[in-house]
Every structure is written in C-alpha cells, then in structure tokens.
Amino acid sequence: DPYYCQGSVVRNLAGLAFTSVVNRNEDFYAAIADSRVPPYHVLVTNPPFSGDHMERLLQFCVESNKPWLLLLPQYVARKRYYLTWLNSRPASAAPMYYIGPMHQPYVFAAAGRDASHTTTTTTTATTTPTDNNHNNDNNDNTQ
C-alpha cells in the first residue's frame, strides 16, 4: 500500500495471512520518480480521494503492467482521465472487474467528519495481461 496513513495496513493484512506487505511512511511519488518502488506482485490500496492522487495512481498502475486493486469513489468512473484510459484499452488488455456492494452502497465518512462529507466507493481491479486464470471475453465486467 503506497499510502501510509497510520500504517495499520501491514497489521490488518497480516491478520488475513498476507505477511509480505510493504507500507512505508514515505512519498510514493518520489519513490516512483527515483525508481525506488519495491518489487511487488499486486498493488492494493485505498488512495486519498483528494487532489490528483487517483489520477496519478491509476497512471502508475496501468504503466506497471501488474495486477492492482484500488478502492475508489464512484465519481472516478466519470472523470476524463479514467474514461480516456478505459476507452483506449486494447482488446488484448487484461480484464477489468468492478466489485461493488451487493445490497447497499458502502458509505465512508472520515473520522471527525459529519455525514455531509461521506463518499460512496467501489473497488476496481485488474489482472495482468499474462494472467490466464480468467476465461472471459468481456474486458469490462460489472458485478
């Protein structure tokens, strides 16, 4: 997880048996610029919803050619950068999966904020182009 926040992601994922997790209190974008991003198999993160974090992170994920799982607010799906990327994907690109709540939206309100500052989220995931575990002709699956 490139966004440190309070550093609890290592402990939380270890509780799910994921013991090889990198989550450092450092500037992720500086690490990208300096080619210091540690080797990884899958990027999993809940990026900050402010500023240009989501656009920059999506660019990194797409260029990495590795699997990624992002917790994103629904409005990202309407952003020009997301639509441009989504609509320019080649037919041979890895399948996209959108994972949403089954019964009611997950609504997140940051600690200390009132209900007027909530965000509804969805999770977006992709596999690598070499991942043959998914037999699906549709590159854009909504579930």
Side-chain angles (χ1 to χ4, degrees):
D1 187 347
Y3 303 99
Y4 186 73
C5 298
Q6 296 178 3
S8 61
V9 73
V10 172
R11 182 182 66 250
N12 292 338
L13 288 174
L16 298 171
F18 295 99
T19 56
S20 181
V21 176
V22 176
N23 182 233
R24 299 180 183 140
N25 189 6
E26 66 180 349
D27 182 340
F28 177 59
Y29 305 113
I32 293 171
D34 297 341
S35 299
R36 291 184 292 108
V37 176
Y40 66 94
H41 297 284
V42 179
L43 186 137
V44 177
T45 189
N46 175 10
F49 295 169
S50 60
D52 63 353
H53 289 292
M54 289 175 284
E55 183 174 5
R56 292 173 77 183
L57 179 62
L58 182 63
Q59 180 180 352
F60 172 80
C61 289
V62 169
E63 291 173 358
S64 75
N65 202 31
K66 293 196 176 199
W68 40 273
L69 180 71
L70 309 177
L71 181 64
L72 301 174
Q74 289 178 330
Y75 65 80
V76 170
R78 296 186 303 273
K79 293 290 189 178
R80 182 179 310 270
Y81 64 84
Y82 186 83
L83 293 171
T84 299
W85 167 74
L86 187 65
N87 292 323
S88 65
R89 297 178 73 230
S92 61
M96 289 290 300
Y97 299 93
Y98 298 92
I99 305 165
M102 296 296 291
H103 302 289
Q104 54 184 318
Y106 171 78
V107 179
F108 173 78
R113 291 199 138 186
D114 62 42
S116 66
H117 292 93
T118 60
T119 302
T120 304
T121 62
T122 188
T123 303
T124 302
T126 185
T127 57
T128 60
T130 58
D131 184 349
N132 295 321
N133 294 326
H134 302 283
N135 296 323
N136 192 322
D137 294 330
N138 186 354
N139 286 338
D140 188 5
N141 299 318
T142 304
Q143 297 183 7

